[in-house]
Amino acid sequence: MKFQSGQTVTVLDTEYKPAGSAVVCNYQENSNKYEVDFIYPGHDKADKISVPEERLILPGDILHR
């Protein structure tokens, strides 16, 4: 497990471009994904979504893809 509950991360879209910030809720061991609170652009309320670890980075991390 790379990220901790409550930690702010940057979510990457399917093309590995930043899609926005999220807060880690928990790690789902059975699917190797993180459940995060993510606010979609134009929305006020966060949604819980599952994201694979490879699509999460720490804010400010540089992408080398």
Side-chain angles (χ1 to χ4, degrees):
M1 188 166 88
K2 183 176 180 180
F3 303 104
Q4 302 297 319
S5 181
Q7 188 173 19
T8 300
V9 294
T10 299
V11 177
L12 305 175
D13 66 15
T14 57
E15 295 177 351
Y16 292 90
K17 296 178 182 174
S21 296
V23 176
V24 174
C25 297
N26 63 57
Y27 180 67
Q28 303 166 334
E29 289 186 43
N30 57 335
S31 63
N32 295 320
K33 294 182 178 181
Y34 285 86
E35 183 179 50
V36 300
D37 280 332
F38 179 75
I39 300 176
Y40 286 95
H43 291 85
D44 296 328
K45 187 177 173 186
D47 289 320
K48 289 202 183 314
I49 62 172
S50 293
V51 182
E53 183 176 308
E54 64 268 12
R55 288 185 40 211
L56 297 176
I57 60 172
L58 293 174
D61 277 359
I62 297 172
L63 299 177
H64 299 286
R65 294 181 185 250

